[in-house]
Amino acid sequence: MDAEAFETLVSDELDRLPDDMVGGLDNVVFVIEDRPEDGSLDLLGLYDGLALTERAQYGMGDLPDRIIVYREPHLDVCDDEDHLRDEVHTTLVHEIAHFYGIDDARLHELGWA
């Protein structure tokens, strides 16, 4: 899947998330990159920012947090488009949860890791 088609798929999955999940996002941008900086295929997404629970001094002028979705790792682990959609959905929920201060251990308990 080329970059443009993948971006459309991610956008579609983002639109399918519940309003109360995405409505609370503040100063967050979604970015699609081919691979993580180290070139690996092991990481599907990344939350790069300061969790809502840690934003005591956060305010005007701060650069936006980023939720990064990696295209090539997703394509590597998915067999078809339905699987890809499911995996992108899970990645978005997982990274948005980090924005809200939910750690990996809790995400594993909830089945989102």
Side-chain angles (χ1 to χ4, degrees):
M1 178 177 287
D2 67 19
E4 186 176 330
F6 186 77
E7 185 173 335
T8 299
L9 185 143
V10 171
S11 180
D12 290 347
E13 288 307 310
L14 189 55
D15 287 343
R16 288 185 174 96
L17 295 175
D19 289 341
D20 57 343
M21 179 183 291
V22 294
L25 296 175
D26 181 38
N27 204 28
V28 177
V29 297
F30 289 84
V31 179
I32 298 168
E33 294 182 1
D34 284 335
R35 286 184 183 211
E37 287 182 18
D38 67 2
S40 73
L41 293 173
D42 298 332
L43 188 62
L44 299 177
L46 178 71
Y47 174 67
D48 179 26
L50 191 61
L52 192 61
T53 55
E54 300 172 8
R55 290 186 175 191
Q57 299 300 319
Y58 193 85
M60 294 292 287
D62 287 317
L63 291 174
D65 294 358
R66 299 182 317 148
I67 291 177
I68 306 168
V69 178
Y70 297 111
R71 183 176 67 93
E72 291 177 7
H74 274 91
L75 297 177
D76 187 58
V77 299
C78 296
D79 302 328
D80 57 35
E81 189 170 325
D82 288 338
H83 184 200
L84 181 61
R85 284 188 178 282
D86 288 345
E87 203 61 54
V88 166
H89 184 91
T90 299
T91 299
L92 289 170
V93 170
H94 182 105
E95 302 311 332
I96 289 170
H98 286 318
F99 166 82
Y100 288 111
I102 302 171
D103 65 14
D104 281 334
R106 181 65 178 137
L107 287 168
H108 278 282
E109 291 173 12
L110 296 170
W112 289 106

